[in-house]
Amino acid sequence: MSGEAGFDREFVLGELIAARDADELCTQLTPVLGAPVALLDAAGAPFGAAAEPPGAIRAPLVLELEPLAYLACACDAAALKAAARVVRWGLLSRARFRMVSDLHLEAVRADYAKLQQQNEALRASEAKYRELAEALDAKVKEQVRIIDERQRQLYQAERLASIGQLAAGVAHEINNPLGFVTSNLSSAERYVAQLAALRDYVPAERWKAVDMDFVLADFSELIADSQQGVTRIARIVRDLKGFSSVDKPDVQLANLNEHLESLFAVIAGQKPAGVTLHSELGPLPPLTCLPGHLNQAFLNMLQNALQAVDQHGSVTLRSSATDTHIVVQIDDDGPGIAAEVLPHIFDPFYTTRGVGGGTGLGLTVARDIVLTHGGTITAENRPDGGARFTVELPL
């Protein structure tokens, strides 16, 4: 809206008649009144080209109780007054026309202002709804991401539970025969000693003919070798149970080093002959965790390190503790991680290996398990070559 005055204001002469029209009016009135006519404004100054004639008298043009202008002419006063009334009617008509026009203009301006306010309100409302829509869209995407992640974690938990049940079954089936084989070997060891004691009761020729000294010595070695094999099998079963935590499937207070040692023993049989494994495990405080899940995470990272070094190289497992965290690092001296691969290394199904070389879920699962424990996992290239994965678990 403009800052112009309202329709009910007091007009000035210039708003009702132009100077050119004033000159024409004066020209037309001159022969009517028989003398030159001039139009003066409210202050008595000439309005238009006609100057006030000498000896002229003035007739006021009253509008809204106040003189708006004057007609000046050296003529009869009654005739001048009659002409002034005619001119006043004309000015009054113009004033009313201007009032109606101004009233209409003010109404249009008021409607325009109202429409502008409504338009601004609509714009504000549109912006608000757009923000709400964007926020809702972002929230939906976040919820979809969380649901996908939960589904993947649920799938992994079910997979780990299946592995645990399988390991429990295998361990149980091996433990039973292992028990009586161990017992039988102990009995056999005693029996060999008893057979050796018969030497004094068997004729020397007969003893020598069947070469009993060699039989007893070789039998003792066979029993000793068998006992070593049984001991190894027992250790493997113990490590397998420790790795899968089949006896302790729930959250528990665990010594993480014990599980790392069991895990190391499990993967020792998987490594190529040219690969060396090192462990530098420092003292750790007990950690409340799901040991089976963490074992799966560390197994995935160790297998990734073994694949990185291929047939020759070394993999080092370290553990240490700070005041607030347990830190586990896995180093390899392989080719390292390419810069374009590093940002995607934990993405689901991302793999640099060929078809059949890997699903690309191992490190994703490891990350999910670590995040579930409130920890962090990072991957970086070592300055002296190779890659390093670091896991920090809060105490």
Side-chain angles (χ1 to χ4, degrees):
M1 292 183 64
S2 69
E4 295 184 9
F7 72 95
D8 57 345
R9 70 186 185 281
E10 292 184 357
F11 293 101
V12 296
L13 182 60
E15 293 179 295
L16 301 180
I17 186 171
R20 182 181 65 254
D21 295 336
D23 293 341
E24 177 66 20
L25 175 66
C26 292
T27 301
Q28 296 298 325
L29 288 176
T30 294
V32 173
L33 296 177
V37 177
L39 184 62
L40 309 179
D41 62 15
F47 184 79
E52 183 174 8
I57 59 175
R58 297 179 178 180
L61 302 176
V62 178
L63 198 68
E64 300 294 339
L65 302 179
E66 293 292 335
L68 176 69
Y70 296 92
L71 274 182
C73 181
C75 64
D76 178 71
L80 182 60
K81 189 174 180 180
R85 283 199 297 270
V86 172
V87 174
R88 174 181 172 276
W89 289 341
L91 294 177
L92 184 60
S93 297
R94 289 200 172 191
R96 288 175 176 172
F97 175 77
R98 285 297 303 270
M99 289 175 65
V100 172
S101 298
D102 290 348
L103 179 61
H104 176 70
L105 182 60
E106 284 192 9
V108 171
R109 287 171 175 168
D111 290 342
Y112 179 73
K114 187 176 180 180
L115 288 174
Q116 278 190 320
Q117 291 177 351
Q118 292 176 345
N119 184 51
E120 292 298 328
L122 288 174
R123 286 176 181 274
S125 178
E126 181 184 1
K128 182 178 179 180
Y129 281 115
R130 187 181 299 111
E131 292 177 359
L132 289 174
E134 291 175 353
L136 180 60
D137 182 63
K139 192 171 183 179
V140 169
K141 289 180 178 177
E142 177 63 16
Q143 290 299 317
V144 169
R145 187 191 65 78
I146 292 174
I147 290 173
D148 289 343
E149 188 171 321
R150 294 292 184 272
Q151 287 179 335
R152 191 169 61 251
Q153 291 175 353
L154 181 60
Y155 165 76
Q156 181 62 20
E158 292 177 350
R159 179 171 175 266
L160 289 175
S162 299
I163 293 175
Q165 292 174 355
L166 176 63
V170 172
H172 177 74
E173 293 300 326
I174 294 177
N175 262 336
N176 284 340
L178 190 62
F180 64 74
V181 169
T182 302
S183 176
N184 291 345
L185 289 174
S186 297
S187 298
E189 191 174 24
R190 291 197 305 274
Y191 295 158
V192 169
Q194 291 174 355
L195 289 175
L198 295 176
R199 180 188 183 98
D200 296 337
Y201 303 97
V202 177
E205 295 77 11
R206 184 62 179 167
W207 186 271
K208 188 174 181 180
V210 296
D211 200 6
M212 280 301 294
D213 289 333
F214 170 77
V215 171
L216 293 175
D218 193 48
F219 197 12
S220 296
E221 290 182 3
L222 292 177
I223 292 174
D225 291 344
S226 298
Q227 287 176 329
Q228 290 180 1
V230 168
T231 302
R232 290 180 59 185
I233 293 173
R235 181 174 57 80
I236 291 172
V237 171
R238 184 181 67 251
D239 290 341
L240 181 61
K241 291 178 65 178
F243 159 68
S244 59
S245 295
V246 294
D247 294 334
K248 301 172 182 176
D250 299 325
V251 174
Q252 61 179 288
L253 199 61
N255 184 335
L256 199 56
N257 274 345
E258 293 180 357
H259 293 274
L260 292 175
E261 290 172 352
S262 298
L263 177 61
F264 229 49
V266 170
I267 69 165
Q270 303 178 4
K271 72 176 184 65
V275 175
T276 305
L277 298 179
H278 303 282
S279 65
E280 301 172 6
L281 305 181
L284 298 181
L287 177 68
T288 301
C289 62
L290 289 166
H293 290 202
L294 285 179
N295 284 345
Q296 181 67 55
F298 292 129
L299 175 64
N300 291 353
M301 289 187 284
L302 282 168
Q303 288 177 330
N304 185 74
L306 288 177
Q307 291 172 337
V309 298
D310 199 10
Q311 298 299 317
H312 300 280
S314 64
V315 174
T316 302
L317 175 64
R318 296 188 184 88
S319 67
S320 60
T322 66
D323 293 337
T324 57
H325 289 76
I326 286 178
V327 181
V328 177
Q329 288 182 331
I330 298 175
D331 289 357
D332 67 69
D333 57 1
I337 308 171
E340 65 273 15
V341 173
L342 195 54
H344 308 287
I345 196 166
F346 295 111
D347 291 350
F349 305 108
Y350 183 83
T351 178
T352 59
R353 301 185 178 95
V355 177
T359 62
L361 282 175
L363 293 180
T364 304
V365 169
R367 181 203 59 182
D368 290 347
I369 292 173
V370 172
L371 293 180
T372 301
H373 284 76
T376 61
I377 179 171
T378 58
E380 61 182 343
N381 286 313
R382 300 164 57 208
D384 53 348
R388 168 174 292 171
F389 286 79
T390 302
V391 174
E392 295 189 17
L393 299 169
L395 292 172

